[in-house]
Amino acid sequence: MATDLVPMSLSPNLILPEDMRPKLSQVSNLASIPIIDLNEDQNGHGNIVQKISQACEEYGFFQVINHGVPEELCTRMMNTITEFFNLPPEEKAQFFSTDPTKEVRLFNYYLKVKDQENVNMWSESFSQPWHPHDNFSDLLPKNPPQYREVFGEYAKEIGKLNTRLFSLISQGLGLEEDCIQKKLGDNPRLNAQGNYYPPCPEPELTLGLAVHTDLSALTVVLQSEGVTGLQVIKDGKWVSVDPVPNAFVVNLGDQIQVLSNGRYKSVHHRAVTNKEKLRVSLAMFYGPNKETWIGPIEELVDEEHPPVYRRYRQAEFLEEFMRQEGTRRMVKEAFEIRNQGKPVN
Ligand code: OGA
Ligand code: NI
């Protein structure tokens, strides 16, 4: 779906049934997610631990500025992933796969709809691993020519930022700085996803990305400047996450919700489309590997706060995630103790 090939109207396989459409006029512009300056403590004022903790409890989302990742690297990364999506379809076709277990793949999200064919989302997504240290580069696209190098540099920076964020989030829960990252274990599952949303002739009829929560522990998103699209649920209303210059959007994934015993939230979000501008995002997911056991952290469980989730191996969580492909996934709910480990959908 190259930008110069945008059709005048949507083909039927892109049109959602009425009750699943985005209802853009109902999006609230009253609230916005917190913006946190990571330099604040160095300047001797402010309390970022407390601010992040509050954002994690109330929104599950925040934006960070002065995060230490060089601005020019973010620009190069955004340009590079955009160039990749703009390659001719023949060249991108080598990566195309409908197999969700493939580590590197280009694909279209879809939703299963009762009594009709699956509905495709107005987007293309590209999924790949990101290891800040290993040599993972051979799996990645050779084109555009700078792709591997830029991605390698970017991965290192995001790795550092993740450690800092995990430390702040741990402290917010009253835990040792390295507690959460330790619980997530060695050799984490590091997965990146580029999302490409060309201008859409009828944004009211479709979605860019269906409503979901991230199955990771933490997600760091770089988004196109000056184009909105990402929305999160706050008090039952959709709120738009408007891009802030040189900021990352950070959101908690399902694993932190479980580790925090439900205190911090992995919140539902979606991406909508617009008529005028191309929007691109790059999400960097950090989660545990398949062998890791995840459950509420012991220090956060007591008589007043009984465990909400049972312990599980990450492999089990991933299986449940795959099983719910194409639906409004409710994965962590299947691990709630009150559901006794049974699927809930
Ligand atoms: C995701 C995601 C949001 C966006 O990839 O999980 O939520 O802004 N992306 O594209
Ligand atoms: Ni997401």
Side-chain angles (χ1 to χ4, degrees), residues 61 195 209 212-214 219 221 230 251 267 269-270 283 285:
F61 265 82
N195 303 296
L209 213 58
H212 68 283
T213 62
D214 293 354
T219 308
V221 182
L230 176 59
N251 68 287
V267 168
H269 53 287
R270 67 181 187 185
F285 302 108

